[in-house]
Amino acid sequence: MSLFAVNDWEWFYKSEGIFFWPQLLLATFSLVHVLACFYLLSGRYYLGNGLLSPGRLMGGIQRHARLDRSERKKEAEKAPANLLEYVISSGLKREKSLGNPESDRIEVEAGLQDAIESVYIGTERRLGYLGLFAQINMLVGLLGTVVGMVASFQVISQSNTAPPPRELASGVSQALLTTIVGLGVAIPSLCAHFHFRGKSLRLQLDLEQAASQFLSENFPETVSGKG
């Protein structure tokens, strides 16, 4: 008989009881968030390329450095294709065009920092959801274990003689299966959570360095001396 025959799935569904649908939904949410993190924490989504080499990373920044003020304003209005372009365009939108390089630099730097901060918050929120689903999976599995064992003990307490194994099987199956499913989803989710957190730190550092280089190349600091 096949390992995943119809009868097996029916037995699994009945054994899980009321915990079948909650655990199925939690497993689906966890899988969706893991797949989303694979894309959202990629070099292409963050920096516009699949590699983190400095040459590939700085290509977009050097392109902006060759533009004059009016052309940079037009670039800022375009829809960003990645988070690096989003950060740069957010900084350029703060350029006041007042003819004061120092003032422009301060405004653009503030725009870059605000955009980077919003990227950090969005990333942390996504990773927080993944960690939350992992913990809920474990707790739901533990709850199923407790409920299943209570059901088994109720059968024993309500019987004057030793109950047949068939009457105890339902509660024991629920106790074991909910634990297996909860841990089977939670462990990979936690591993993915820690992997993506380390990757997000590296990408955020690259993003911050790229924004800093863009600022220094397009809005260099002015050195004022005393005569």
Side-chain angles (χ1 to χ4, degrees):
M1 185 176 65
S2 173
L3 181 61
F4 298 105
V6 175
N7 291 337
D8 294 333
W9 286 112
E10 184 178 356
W11 169 82
F12 182 82
Y13 174 76
K14 290 182 177 179
S15 298
E16 279 259 305
I18 61 173
F19 293 94
F20 177 83
W21 292 111
Q23 288 197 314
L24 179 62
L25 289 175
L26 287 169
T28 302
F29 289 153
S30 299
L31 178 61
V32 169
H33 273 76
V34 168
L35 295 177
C37 286
F38 268 114
Y39 173 71
L40 296 176
L41 293 173
S42 63
R44 185 170 300 279
Y45 181 75
Y46 255 74
L47 309 168
N49 56 74
L51 301 175
L52 299 183
S53 60
R56 293 286 299 278
L57 179 61
M58 294 297 114
I61 295 176
Q62 293 169 354
R63 177 173 59 84
H64 281 86
R66 292 192 292 268
L67 302 176
D68 58 26
R69 187 189 300 271
S70 61
E71 290 174 328
R72 287 202 300 262
K73 282 293 184 182
K74 292 179 181 179
E75 285 289 321
E77 298 302 325
K78 294 181 179 179
N82 50 71
L83 292 181
L84 176 57
E85 288 189 8
Y86 162 72
V87 170
I88 290 176
S89 63
S90 298
L92 291 176
K93 288 177 182 178
R94 300 283 288 268
E95 191 177 5
K96 299 300 184 182
S97 302
L98 299 176
N100 186 341
E102 185 63 28
S103 176
D104 283 343
R105 178 185 172 87
I106 293 174
E107 291 294 332
V108 172
E109 185 175 12
L112 293 174
Q113 290 298 327
D114 289 345
I116 290 174
E117 200 60 38
S118 69
V119 171
Y120 289 172
I121 293 173
T123 302
E124 287 299 314
R125 182 170 61 249
R126 176 69 65 177
L127 292 176
Y129 284 142
L130 182 58
L132 176 64
F133 286 135
Q135 295 182 37
I136 292 177
N137 271 296
M138 287 191 292
L139 292 176
V140 170
L142 177 61
L143 179 61
T145 301
V146 174
V147 171
M149 295 306 297
V150 168
S152 298
F153 283 120
Q154 281 183 337
V155 172
I156 296 175
S157 64
Q158 294 174 0
S159 177
N160 295 325
T161 59
R166 183 183 297 274
E167 295 182 8
L168 297 175
S170 176
V172 174
S173 296
Q174 186 178 69
L176 296 178
L177 282 176
T178 53
T179 304
I180 292 172
V181 173
L183 292 177
V185 176
I187 292 174
S189 298
L190 282 176
C191 292
H193 176 264
F194 284 105
H195 167 72
F196 288 132
R197 181 167 293 280
K199 190 174 183 180
S200 71
L201 293 176
R202 294 193 299 271
L203 286 171
Q204 289 169 6
L205 179 60
D206 288 333
L207 184 64
E208 192 167 347
Q209 290 175 343
S212 178
Q213 182 165 341
F214 165 79
L215 183 68
S216 63
E217 290 187 3
N218 290 273
F219 302 91
E221 290 185 273
T222 58
V223 180
S224 59
K226 295 181 179 180

